């Protein structure tokens, strides 16, 4: 792990609540730290200086304290005294934890630290953003600000992921003693309003620190009006000796990331794309035109249907190999992240009344059916990201409507809860621990429609709705925790809905968002033109397909990629921009690896609708 711009944040030790650090990563080599704490008498104290970045460490050779500045319009920068009192080191094991070591005022300690804020667009999150956390143009206002006529005190500001800003004002009281206030604000048109800054006192410096000694009290209000370079600050305090006033602000520091103003990146700014066409001839018995790619592992191994069999493409072998045995046609097959096993639906009885059951194939064991079959016929519908949880629906002999089930190695196969008003609920994806499952159910209202559902913690399934209260259509997949669920359309056609027909996501807290629209998508009809198909383990990227006109009378599809920062992007536009591959597709259906580093495109040539093709797009971070 190495220091990166995403470490620009507030840091603290939970057992030392009431003091902490603000870190600003300014460049590849330099960072600035503010340490807000207390002196030996329980009065506010703060230390500051620049540090040198080396690998996972930042060394601050001189920690400085100040004194002498007097708060208010009579502030005289010439009265500010600066004193070197020690040194400090910050070291990090990852983006969320580290250690702070110091020697100052005759004491030395090493204190574990955790990150308590996420500076918008700074880093330490997916390069393409986080669903539901859009980056604002003003994200680059994060950094330090001061009034040049009052050099010696100022603010450190960080825009956080939820349109909130956290600010600490490092200043002095009317007697020239160090003082600091902290608060959280929000944007109100072109202003940032901090309705309540809080000051603290009571705790002691260093080893004598006791969080129970910290007294917190409201100091007053602060309003910033800034752009990327300058602005003003107006304050009103309810504490004697501070009063009210206004400062003219200038930038003191600019973070390494994000830039100001922030501009949405293009996917081609973030990734190098490589196009690899997989040979059509599978090299095994059967028609090559019937090959249908299903899933791809991180190393590029592909599993595909070839009629009622499975075939595997391994990049190092550069040829397809047959997997013995018969599988259910039309039921998806999933390969594990490391390509060590495949999950599919095996044909168990080869006769006119065939039974099928989910099964796992490994090269050393062959097919091993999962235990506790329960049903005469089980259909695999989905899996968790790590392939440890299998999902599907099962039917007893002679039945038409199936029952939903879940399977994992520890608990075997068991039925999911259902309610009387939900017809044929179908699970499609699961969290890695099996606690959250998403899918859809049939609704019989004015017509046959599907509604998105979610099971949580073994409870009955709930209907998923958007922020306007409309029922969502079909939940298709989710990230490793099912904290981000993706799906298609609404349960019914809503021509007046602002996001009708768009693909969507739902977060753990119920917040919803829509993936957007593409100019060449066919949307003139009561159907769902956008179908999201896969989401990365971390929830940062979604791939799916959307409807287009291949000819004036023939519908087809193209792939899209969506991220929070780039929005929805057509793969055909990326290929055209980069001059890669071709657009000779009738249907282009995408799946991808769990990391999103490889996107598997499969479908038919547009010139021959019975001739299938398979392409791998490699995405390499720039």
């Amino acid at each position: 792990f190495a220091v990166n711009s995403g470490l620009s944040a507030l840091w603290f030790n939970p057992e030392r609540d009431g003091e902490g650090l603000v870190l600003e990563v300014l460049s590849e080599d330099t960072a600035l730290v503010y340490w807000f704490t207390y002196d030996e008498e329980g009065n506010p104290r703060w230390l500051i200086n620049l540090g040198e970045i080396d690998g996972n460490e930042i060394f601050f050779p001189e920690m400085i304290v100040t004194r002498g500045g007097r708060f208010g319009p009579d502030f005289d920068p010439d009265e500010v005294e600066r004193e070197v009192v020690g040194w400090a080191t910050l070291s990090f094991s990852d983006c969320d934890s580290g250690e702070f070591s110091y020697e100052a005022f005759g004491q030395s300690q090493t204190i574990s630290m955790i990150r308590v804020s996420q500076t918008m667009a700074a880093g330490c999150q997916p390069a393409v953003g986080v669903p539901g956390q859009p980056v604002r143009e003003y994200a680059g206002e994060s950094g330090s600000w001061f009034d040049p006529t009052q050099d010696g005190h100022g603010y450190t500001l960080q825009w956080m992921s939820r349109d909130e800003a956290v600010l600490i004002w490092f200043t002095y009281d009317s007697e020239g003693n160090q003082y600091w206030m902290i608060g959280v604000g929000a944007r109100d048109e072109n202003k940032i309003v901090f309705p309540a800054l809080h000051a603290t006192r009571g705790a002691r410096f260093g080893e004598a620190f006791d969080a129970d000694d910290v007294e917190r009290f409201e100091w007053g209000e602060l309003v910033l009006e800034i752009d990327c370079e300058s602005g003003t600050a107006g304050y009103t305090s309810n504490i004697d000796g501070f009063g009210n006033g206004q400062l003219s602000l200038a930038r003191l520091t600019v973070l390494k990331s994000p830039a100001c103003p922030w501009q949405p990146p293009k996917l081609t700014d973030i990734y190098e794309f490589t196009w690899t066409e997989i040979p059509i001839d599978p090299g095994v018995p059967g028609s090559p035109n019937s090959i249908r790619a299903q899933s791809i592992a991180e190393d590029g191994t592909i599993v595909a249907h070839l009629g009622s069999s499975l075939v595997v493409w391994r990049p190092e072998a550069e040829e397809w190999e047959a997997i013995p045995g018969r599988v259910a046609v039309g039921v998806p097959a999933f390969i594990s992240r490391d390509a060590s096993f495949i999950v599919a639906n095996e044909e168990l009885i080869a006769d006119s009344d065939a039974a099928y059951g989910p099964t796992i194939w490994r090269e050393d064991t062959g097919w091993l059916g999962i235990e506790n079959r329960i049903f005469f016929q089980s259909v695999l519908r989905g899996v968790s990201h790590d392939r440890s949880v299998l999902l599907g629906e099962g039917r007893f002999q002679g039945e038409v409507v199936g029952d939903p089930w879940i399977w994992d190695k520890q608990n075997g196969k068991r039925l999911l809860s259902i309610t009387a008003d939900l017809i044929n609920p179908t699970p499609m994806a699961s969290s890695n621990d099996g606690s959250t499952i998403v899918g859809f159910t049939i609704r019989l209202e004015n017509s046959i429609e599907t509604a998105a559902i979610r099971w949580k913690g073994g409870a009955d399934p709930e209907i998923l709705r958007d922020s306007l209260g409309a029922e969502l259509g079909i939940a298709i997949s989710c990230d490793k925790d099912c904290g981000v669920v993706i799906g298609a359309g609404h349960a019914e056609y809503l021509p007046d809905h602002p996001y009708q027909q768009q693909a969507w996501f739902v977060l753990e807290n119920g917040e919803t968002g829509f993936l957007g629209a593409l100019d060449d998508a066919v949307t003139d009809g009561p159907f769902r033109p956008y179908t999201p198909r896969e989401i990365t383990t971390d929830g940062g990227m979604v791939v799916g397909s959307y409807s287009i006109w291949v000819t004036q009378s023939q519908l087809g599809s193209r792939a899209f990629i969506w991220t929070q920062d780039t929005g929805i992007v057509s793969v055909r536009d990326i290929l055209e921009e980069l001059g890669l591959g071709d657009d000779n597709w009738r249907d282009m259906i995408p799946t991808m690896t769990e990391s999103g580093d490889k996107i598997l495109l499969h479908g038919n040539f547009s010139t021959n609708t019975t001739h299938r093709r398979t392409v791998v797009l490699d995405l390499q971070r720039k």
Side-chain angles (χ1 to χ4, degrees), residues 156-175:
T156 176
L157 172 73
Q158 294 181 348
W159 277 109
M160 297 185 291
S161 60
R162 295 293 181 181
D163 285 334
E164 292 182 322
V166 60
L167 175 142
I168 304 182
W169 188 353
F170 297 101
T171 185
Y172 309 88
D173 64 16
S174 59
E175 302 299 320

Side-chain angles (χ1 to χ4, degrees), residues 313-373:
W313 168 270
R314 301 184 191 277
E316 68 276 9
E318 296 190 351
E319 63 180 13
W320 294 92
E321 64 181 78
I323 302 296
R326 295 174 60 86
V327 296
V329 178
V331 179
F334 304 92
I335 195 166
S336 65
R337 179 186 180 93
D338 62 359
S340 64
F341 65 91
I342 297 169
V343 179
N345 241 54
E346 186 184 16
E347 183 176 315
L348 301 177
I349 304 173
D351 59 29
S352 59
D353 196 14
Y356 296 96
T359 185
I360 299 172
W361 181 87
R362 296 179 185 272
E363 190 168 5
D364 57 343
T365 63
W367 292 108
L368 293 175
I370 65 175
E371 69 267 25
N372 301 338
R373 246 182 67 197

Side-chain angles (χ1 to χ4, degrees), residues 11-323:
W11 296 78
F12 92 131
N13 182 302
E15 297 179 356
R16 300 175 67 93
D17 187 14
E19 71 168 2
L21 308 172
V22 181
L23 181 65
E24 295 182 359
V25 178
L26 307 181
S27 68
E28 292 288 341
D29 306 313
T30 306
L32 173 66
V33 71
Y34 298 91
W35 181 10
F36 52 100
T37 181
Y38 307 87
D39 66 16
E40 291 75 10
E41 305 301 321
N43 302 306
R45 168 187 278 168
W46 47 272
L47 297 84
I48 181 176
N49 212 345
L50 293 171
E52 305 161 0
I53 297 173
D54 182 12
N56 73 325
E57 290 188 345
I58 311 172
F59 178 55
F60 303 91
E62 296 181 338
M63 294 298 292
I64 294 173
V65 295
T66 61
R67 66 178 63 87
R70 298 179 187 276
F71 188 89
D74 296 329
F75 185 98
D76 185 350
D78 292 335
E79 294 180 349
V80 177
E81 302 175 24
R82 296 169 174 84
E83 178 186 1
V84 176
V85 295
W87 58 264
T89 299
L90 270 168
S91 60
F92 301 92
S93 54
D94 54 41
C95 277
D96 300 311
S97 56
E99 286 188 338
F100 177 61
S101 300
Y102 74 89
E103 185 175 304
F105 299 105
Q107 296 194 49
S108 61
Q109 280 184 293
T110 295
I111 303 169
S112 61
M113 308 294 284
I114 63 171
R115 184 168 58 110
V116 291
S117 68
Q118 171 74 61
T119 301
M120 186 184 293
C124 280
Q125 60 191 89
V128 289
V130 177
Q133 298 181 17
V135 178
R136 307 304 186 189
E137 183 184 31
Y138 47 78
E141 294 171 358
S142 297
S144 294
W145 297 78
F146 80 129
D147 186 331
T149 67
Q150 296 196 9
D151 185 15
H153 75 131
Y155 315 98
T156 176
L157 172 73
Q158 294 181 348
W159 277 109
M160 297 185 291
S161 60
R162 295 293 181 181
D163 285 334
E164 292 182 322
V166 60
L167 175 142
I168 304 182
W169 188 353
F170 297 101
T171 185
Y172 309 88
D173 64 16
S174 59
E175 302 299 320
N177 303 305
Q178 285 189 321
Y179 205 89
W180 54 266
M181 302 86 82
I182 185 170
V184 174
R187 202 169 190 91
D188 182 4
E189 296 182 347
N190 62 336
K191 299 178 181 179
I192 313 171
V193 179
F194 298 86
L197 294 184
H198 287 83
T200 63
R201 61 177 171 238
R204 302 299 194 269
F205 180 78
E207 293 183 355
F209 182 94
D210 186 340
D212 293 335
D213 293 337
V214 177
E215 303 174 39
R216 296 171 174 84
F217 51 95
E218 188 172 322
W219 178 88
E221 180 187 54
L222 177 71
V223 178
L224 300 184
E225 189 170 351
I226 58 178
D227 56 27
C228 288
E229 300 297 334
S230 60
T232 60
Y235 61 88
T236 301
S237 177
N238 51 28
I239 303 294
D240 290 342
F242 291 96
N244 59 76
Q246 184 164 305
L247 302 173
S248 296
L249 300 180
R251 289 295 290 254
L252 180 62
T253 65
V254 176
L255 301 185
K256 179 184 173 185
S257 181
C260 193
W262 182 82
Q263 297 292 331
K266 298 194 302 181
L267 280 168
T268 50
D269 295 332
I270 302 171
Y271 296 105
E272 297 278 0
F273 286 80
T274 304
W275 164 290
T276 303
E277 184 107 20
I278 306 301
I280 298 297
D281 184 359
V284 296
S287 169
N289 295 337
S290 65
I291 193 168
R292 188 187 297 268
Q294 296 286 298
S295 180
I296 183 169
E298 293 292 334
D299 67 354
T301 301
I302 300 168
V303 62
H305 277 291
L306 182 60
S308 59
S309 300
L310 290 183
V311 291
V312 171
W313 168 270
R314 301 184 191 277
E316 68 276 9
E318 296 190 351
E319 63 180 13
W320 294 92
E321 64 181 78
I323 302 296

